[in-house]
Every structure is written in structure tokens, then in C-alpha cells.
Amino acid sequence: MRISTSQIFQNGIDVIQRQQAEISRTQNQLGTGRRILSPSDDPSGSVQALQFESRIEQTKQFQRNGGLAEQRLRLTEVTLASVGDGLQRIRELSVKANNATETDETRRYIAGEMQQVLNSLVDLGNTRDANGEYLFAGYKSQTQPFVMKNGEVEYQGDDKARQVDISPVRKMAVGDPGNQVFGDAGVSGALKDGNGTFTTLPDDENAGSGVIGAGSVVDRKGWQEAVDAAAGELSYSVTFADDGETFTVQAFDNGAELTDAPFDTLPTDVPFKSGESIAFNGISFDIKGTPADGDEFTIRPSEPQSLFAGVQNIIDALQSPVGTSTAPVNNAINRGLSELDNALGHVLDTRATVGARLNALENQDNLNRDQILQLETTISEIRDLDYAEAISRFNLQQVGLQAAQQSYTQVARLTLFDYIR
């Protein structure tokens, strides 16, 4: 086999260039810390690394979603705390106004302060987040949820709770619709008037000093049986006779009297004692003072009502002049105090759910961090460089390159001219 001089030279150069390419690749690996510099280095490992990187970016997006949700929920919690403080102040003013020593003028002053607190409660209901979106408007985040018109507060948002993804399989509500938080006439699951189960109301034409309490449910089953027995809207009337010495209870269904069970045992011509409990069909309440002959009180199931409307009813009662008897304002305040207690409890319950969501966000954030760390560790095992092995390989490649260079210089000297004398 004949080997030409040019072939020898070309082979030597090819070997040197291969050694230089390998050294260059190893230098790039050492400089970047990556074993895989291009997909061709390890096609399977490259695909796995891309999949893990995609999962990491997705998890980081979930973390960003959680961070935004946390900011919004913390603002919601602070806002609800302020709402609770406002309701507590109104309750204090209501107790003060219920004192017999107050006059029409002082009650108007109290009503004036209540009105200012009510306005602040409406403002809290219209709180915006850092992006200028309303907290309690549901999906209509650009629409002001609460507007006061003619002394009434109207809700303009919707009943949807905004949610964000905090994991591939989990969503988190970042707020609550205002009609659920503050109540609304069209939302049965939120706030209700009276004690939350039934409402006690004096007749506007009452002439005596009778003041009815908010009452309570003593037998839930008995109350529900009575409600179910009425085809329409159940109501009871407590009517006084004999100059207020006796009273009779009647049940009505949309105005028609009910006399069958369980309404056949209602009190009839019962002697009245101020402050003594009156109980029937699972409910109990008392009436204090001295009702006049023909005075009437109504008991009906509670109906949805916003906390704004409940406060406004107290203000309206305090602004109305009181004649010879303070019973009308006392009845309104008694009912209002019961509704305020329900509203305070409802706000606290909502704050509790917000706190639970904040805890869930914190737990999910920790879980996402652990997942990212695990994914990054796995990517490192697939893609990152083993420095000890790479440095050893680099030194070996340097030796190989030096050997190739030296052998080339030695071979390049071998010519026929060396033998010519």
C-alpha cells in the first residue's frame, strides 16, 4: 500500500483538529457547567430536561398566582376587620340610643354619627386592590359594587367569586362577592333580618308601650314543621285584648288563618305578664311594657337583608320623632341589635374563611417550592457536568493533542532531501 506525503500530512492535521475540537467542547462544558451543550449531545436527556424546565416554569407561575391571591386576601381580611369595627361602633350607639333618657334631639345626633359610619361601611364595600379592581364586585371587578341611591344601598356586582390556579389541580378563590359578604335582598344564604330565623315586628298602629324581643328558636324541628305546614308564607300575630290583660296567637298563610296541627294549640286568651316568655311551635320571645287593647305584633320567617339596610332601619327609627311612648324606637333598636349581632357573626365567619384560604396558600407555596427544588435537582442530574470527570478528560485530551502535534512535526521532517549529500 502506497501512502503519499500529502496523505500523511492530511492525516496528521485531521488528528490535530479532532483533538482541538474535543478540547474546545470540553472547555465549553467546563465554562457553562453543562454536560449537554446541544440536543445532539444527548437527545433523550435533552427532551427530559425540556420537560422538567416547562414544569418548573408552570409551577413558578402558580407561585406568582398565589402571591397575587395572598395580597388580595390580606387586603380583604384588613377590610373586613374595619367593617367589624364599624358594626361594633353602630351597636354601641344603638345601645346608647335605647336609653329612656335620650331625647329626640340626642337621638338625631346619634343617628348622624351612625350615618357617617354607614357611609364608611359603603366605602369599605367599594375597596379596590393595587390593580384598581374592586374586591367585592365578583367578576365585575371594574364596576363599583355598592351605590347609595335614595337612602338605599344597591349592589351592582355579580355573585361569582374570582379564582386563580395555584396548582395543576387546585383553584383558590381570591375574593367573595359583595352580596355574600354584606348581604343582599336577593341572596338567601347571606344575611337575614330579625334573629336570622324569624323576625318580630310591632304593628305601626300600636298605642301601648309594649316592646317585643328578638326571640330565639328553642326547638328547630318544631319551627321547621310549622314552616313546612304552611303552603305559602307563614306568619303569626299576637293580638292583645282586655286592655292588654290577655293575648291570643293566630297563624296565617298568606292572610288565611291556619287552625290545623301544628297550629291548633296556639295560646288563646292567655293572661299577659310583662317580660314573661311566650313560646309556641319551637320559638320563644318576650314582650315587655304595657300593650294597649288591640295592639298587635307579627312574627314571620326571616328574609334576606343587607347589613346596610339593617343599619339604615335603625337610623330611620332614631330620626323619627317620638311621641308619648318610646316603644316604636325601642322595638326598632331591639330588632336592629339582633341583626347587628348576626352581621358581626357573619363578618367574622367570612374573615375565618379568608384566613383559612391564606393558610392554604402558604401550604401550597411551600409545596410548590419543594416541587421546584426536586425538579431542579433532577435536571441537574441529567444536564449538569461532572467537573471531576471533565477535568480529567480535559487533561487527557491535552496530552493527546500535544502527542499529535509532536508526532506531526517529526513526520513532517521525513523527506528524501535529508538523504541527499
Side-chain angles (χ1 to χ4, degrees):
M1 177 179 177
R2 297 179 60 186
I3 300 176
S4 66
T5 302
S6 62
Q7 184 178 358
I8 293 173
F9 288 164
Q10 187 60 50
N11 288 339
I13 291 173
D14 289 343
V15 171
I16 292 172
Q17 288 179 338
R18 277 199 307 273
Q19 293 290 344
Q20 287 176 332
E22 290 177 359
I23 287 178
S24 175
R25 180 174 178 277
T26 304
Q27 282 180 318
N28 287 338
Q29 288 179 330
L30 290 169
T32 60
R34 300 286 180 86
R35 179 180 67 85
I36 302 175
L37 299 176
S38 64
S40 61
D41 294 336
D42 184 352
S44 176
S46 297
V47 171
Q48 287 182 317
L50 288 174
Q51 290 174 340
F52 286 131
E53 284 180 341
S54 175
R55 180 65 183 278
I56 288 173
E57 290 303 316
Q58 184 185 40
T59 305
K60 287 182 178 179
Q61 182 60 57
F62 290 141
Q63 282 189 299
R64 288 190 287 271
N65 291 349
L68 294 174
E70 181 181 2
Q71 294 176 8
R72 191 176 174 92
L73 288 175
R74 291 199 182 280
L75 179 58
T76 300
E77 201 279 333
V78 171
T79 302
L80 292 177
S82 298
V83 171
D85 292 340
L87 290 175
Q88 187 61 46
R89 178 55 183 164
I90 290 176
R91 194 184 192 287
E92 294 171 358
L93 292 172
S94 298
V95 173
K96 179 181 180 182
N98 209 22
N99 195 312
T101 61
E102 300 293 336
T103 64
D104 287 348
E105 184 177 16
T106 57
R107 277 190 285 268
R108 282 196 299 271
Y109 293 151
I110 294 173
E113 183 177 348
M114 282 188 180
Q115 186 65 56
Q116 295 303 315
V117 178
L118 176 59
N119 293 340
S120 70
L121 290 176
V122 176
D123 289 340
L124 289 171
N126 292 325
T127 300
R128 302 188 188 204
D129 62 13
N131 296 323
E133 297 179 325
Y134 291 99
L135 288 181
F136 303 109
Y139 283 174
K140 296 182 178 181
S141 58
Q142 300 297 330
T143 301
Q144 181 176 328
F146 296 104
V147 177
M148 185 172 288
K149 296 180 180 179
N150 301 323
E152 295 184 357
V153 179
E154 297 181 2
Y155 180 65
Q156 301 184 123
D158 59 28
D159 58 354
K160 308 296 183 181
R162 295 180 60 187
Q163 296 182 325
V164 297
D165 293 316
I166 60 173
S167 81
V169 296
R170 188 176 186 185
K171 295 180 181 293
M172 179 64 67
V174 297
D176 297 277
N179 57 354
Q180 291 288 346
V181 177
F182 297 91
D184 186 67
V187 181
S188 60
L191 290 169
K192 294 184 178 181
D193 60 7
N195 59 25
T197 302
F198 64 88
T199 300
T200 57
L201 299 167
D203 189 87
D204 292 337
E205 302 299 324
N206 285 357
S209 61
V211 177
I212 189 169
S216 62
V217 177
V218 295
D219 180 3
R220 181 68 58 179
K221 182 179 179 181
W223 164 256
Q224 193 59 49
E225 287 178 351
V227 173
D228 294 340
E233 296 184 2
L234 172 67
S235 65
Y236 296 98
S237 69
V238 182
T239 306
F240 286 85
D242 302 325
D243 295 329
E245 295 293 330
T246 62
F247 67 88
T248 296
V249 178
Q250 295 172 289
F252 295 91
D253 183 5
N254 290 332
E257 185 176 0
L258 299 170
T259 57
D260 295 333
F263 308 108
D264 54 352
T265 58
L266 295 178
T268 302
D269 294 329
V270 178
F272 171 71
K273 293 182 180 180
S274 176
E276 188 173 87
S277 176
I278 301 173
F280 52 85
N281 289 357
I283 63 174
S284 175
F285 57 90
D286 61 32
I287 298 176
K288 297 178 181 178
T290 307
D293 188 60
D295 281 1
E296 184 177 352
F297 297 87
T298 300
I299 297 92
R300 60 163 175 78
S302 294
E303 298 176 353
Q305 175 183 269
S306 71
L307 64 84
F308 303 122
V311 173
Q312 189 64 55
N313 289 337
I314 300 175
I315 293 173
D316 293 342
L318 294 178
Q319 289 177 334
S320 300
V322 175
T324 57
S325 173
T326 61
V329 69
N330 294 144
N331 278 307
I333 291 177
N334 282 350
R335 178 185 174 193
L337 287 172
S338 179
E339 293 171 350
L340 286 172
D341 289 340
N342 291 337
L344 281 166
H346 179 71
V347 170
L348 286 175
D349 290 342
T350 305
R351 287 182 64 186
T353 63
V354 172
R357 277 176 272 173
L358 285 169
N359 289 335
L361 282 174
E362 182 178 355
N363 293 335
Q364 186 63 48
D365 181 69
N366 292 334
L367 180 59
N368 287 341
R369 290 177 186 274
D370 293 339
Q371 289 179 344
I372 290 174
L373 178 60
Q374 183 61 45
L375 290 170
E376 290 177 340
T377 301
T378 304
I379 289 179
S380 177
E381 293 173 354
I382 296 173
R383 186 178 57 189
D384 288 355
L385 182 67
D386 182 349
Y387 276 95
E389 183 275 333
I391 292 173
S392 298
R393 176 160 38 89
F394 180 72
N395 291 331
L396 183 60
Q397 289 169 344
Q398 281 184 315
V399 172
L401 176 60
Q402 291 171 358
Q405 290 172 335
Q406 290 177 1
S407 65
Y408 179 79
T409 58
Q410 293 295 327
V411 173
R413 290 181 183 176
L414 299 176
T415 68
L416 293 175
F417 295 104
D418 291 338
Y419 298 97
I420 298 176
R421 295 288 186 265

